[in-house]
Amino acid sequence: MTDDVGNIEIPKWDPALAALVAEEYGKRKNPLRLADFLALAQQHAIRFDDIMVTVFELCLQGEWSYVNRKGQARVLNREQIDKLYVNGRLHESDLRDFDGGWLPAQR
């Protein structure tokens, strides 16, 4: 991907982590939950925080969606996400209100 002047556009998320979560979604065919991301982090020796930063950025850019536990879409914004970083890195306890799931955006 390039911008108008031919410079390479750098994605706002980690492409390798985006591919990893997309692959996991493809296997499950269901929204991914926090437990799924924790398992991926442990299985691949990746920081949970790094995975979630990527997933949240994918949501902010309209590539992925978050649905609450009732399956209703919840629009996320940068301010909401920034407030989660009170302690620097994201931890599972910081995300206790996110008890739904994440999935690729429907286009």
Side-chain angles (χ1 to χ4, degrees):
M1 209 183 279
T2 60
D3 63 16
D4 292 338
V5 290
N7 294 322
I8 295 174
E9 191 174 313
I10 299 171
K12 297 178 185 294
W13 57 82
D14 184 314
L17 294 179
L20 180 66
V21 297
E23 179 181 338
E24 189 67 17
Y25 176 81
K27 290 177 188 175
R28 295 176 182 273
K29 303 288 188 215
N30 284 307
L32 299 176
R33 301 177 59 78
L34 288 178
D36 300 321
F37 296 122
L38 286 163
L40 281 174
Q42 184 175 25
Q43 178 183 359
H44 296 282
I46 300 167
R47 286 192 306 235
F48 171 73
D49 173 71
D50 290 340
I51 293 174
M52 294 314 301
V53 165
T54 290
V55 172
F56 279 129
E57 194 59 47
L58 287 166
C59 289
L60 292 172
Q61 299 302 318
E63 300 291 322
W64 276 62
S65 299
Y66 174 76
V67 294
N68 65 21
R69 65 179 158 194
K70 295 178 184 176
Q72 300 165 325
R74 178 175 164 191
V75 177
L76 304 175
N77 63 48
R78 177 94 39 212
E79 185 179 338
Q80 291 169 314
I81 303 307
D82 288 347
K83 287 181 181 178
L84 298 172
Y85 290 92
V86 175
N87 299 318
R89 289 209 173 270
L90 286 175
H91 300 279
E92 183 180 7
S93 60
D94 298 324
L95 303 175
R96 65 184 162 272
D97 293 334
F98 291 89
D99 58 355
W102 287 261
L103 67 160
Q106 304 300 312
R107 295 180 185 234

